[in-house]
Amino acid sequence: MIVKVQSFNNSELFLNSVKTPVKILDIYKTKDHLEKGDLIYIQEPVSISYQKGMENMTSIRGYVLMNDHQEYLLFLKHLDKVKGYKYKKSEEMTYIPVSTRFSKYCKEESPLFIDSKRIEEGEIHYRDFKDASV
């Protein structure tokens, strides 16, 4: 599925992901019965934990969380399920990125190229590049 969406700021935190509600602004390709204006959920592959007043965020394979109230072009697929399983109501409307690095584009974000060693060594933190396309 390929859609243009606007994200909202009331995401729900899970163990290894963040479930973010988005409003569909435009639909470019889908097999689902969705329309402009529909609300769907994106299961973003990011883990956030809080320890002793310190926030720790772990990104899965370079994924960067969507920022609140921004428009994105997304390449999505349904949550995986085993044969015979029926989606519950919210699962029916929940999607995941087809790729962690190449499934989310925002024209308001500017590209930023950084050396991963600088992140590993603690020189750069998520807050330093959260508004960039990495």
Side-chain angles (χ1 to χ4, degrees):
M1 175 168 71
I2 304 170
V3 290
K4 180 179 179 183
V5 301
Q6 181 177 23
S7 60
F8 295 102
N9 61 354
N10 51 340
S11 297
E12 187 177 352
L13 180 61
F14 289 87
L15 181 61
N16 289 312
S17 65
V18 173
K19 186 176 178 181
T20 304
V22 297
K23 178 181 176 183
I24 296 177
L25 302 177
D26 216 340
I27 300 171
Y28 302 104
K29 181 180 179 183
T30 186
K31 293 178 182 175
D32 296 337
H33 301 288
L34 296 170
E35 298 179 5
K36 289 181 185 181
D38 283 353
L39 182 72
I40 62 172
Y41 300 94
I42 311 302
Q43 204 79 33
E44 299 188 80
V46 171
S47 176
I48 300 173
S49 61
Y50 300 93
Q51 298 173 355
K52 297 181 184 175
M54 186 174 127
E55 182 178 308
N56 182 30
M57 184 176 135
T58 304
S59 171
I60 300 171
R61 290 188 230 61
Y63 187 86
V64 178
L65 279 172
M66 288 188 279
N67 290 315
D68 300 340
H69 305 291
Q70 284 194 345
E71 292 181 9
Y72 291 90
L73 177 65
L74 300 176
F75 294 79
L76 304 169
K77 63 182 179 178
H78 257 293
L79 289 172
D80 293 332
K81 66 176 183 172
V82 295
K83 188 176 180 178
Y85 179 80
K86 294 191 182 205
Y87 288 125
K88 295 177 184 132
K89 185 171 176 141
S90 69
E91 292 172 338
E92 246 180 84
M93 304 304 292
T94 302
Y95 298 83
I96 58 175
V98 296
S99 159
T100 55
R101 292 190 183 176
F102 305 112
S103 60
K104 177 179 66 75
Y105 299 92
C106 178
K107 69 180 183 180
E108 289 128 18
E109 294 177 350
S110 55
L112 175 67
F113 301 99
I114 54 174
D115 182 2
S116 61
K117 266 187 173 176
R118 293 184 65 200
I119 296 172
E120 292 166 8
E121 293 171 359
E123 294 177 28
I124 296 179
H125 302 279
Y126 178 71
R127 68 178 171 269
D128 299 323
F129 62 87
K130 74 180 186 85
D131 295 324
S133 298
V134 185

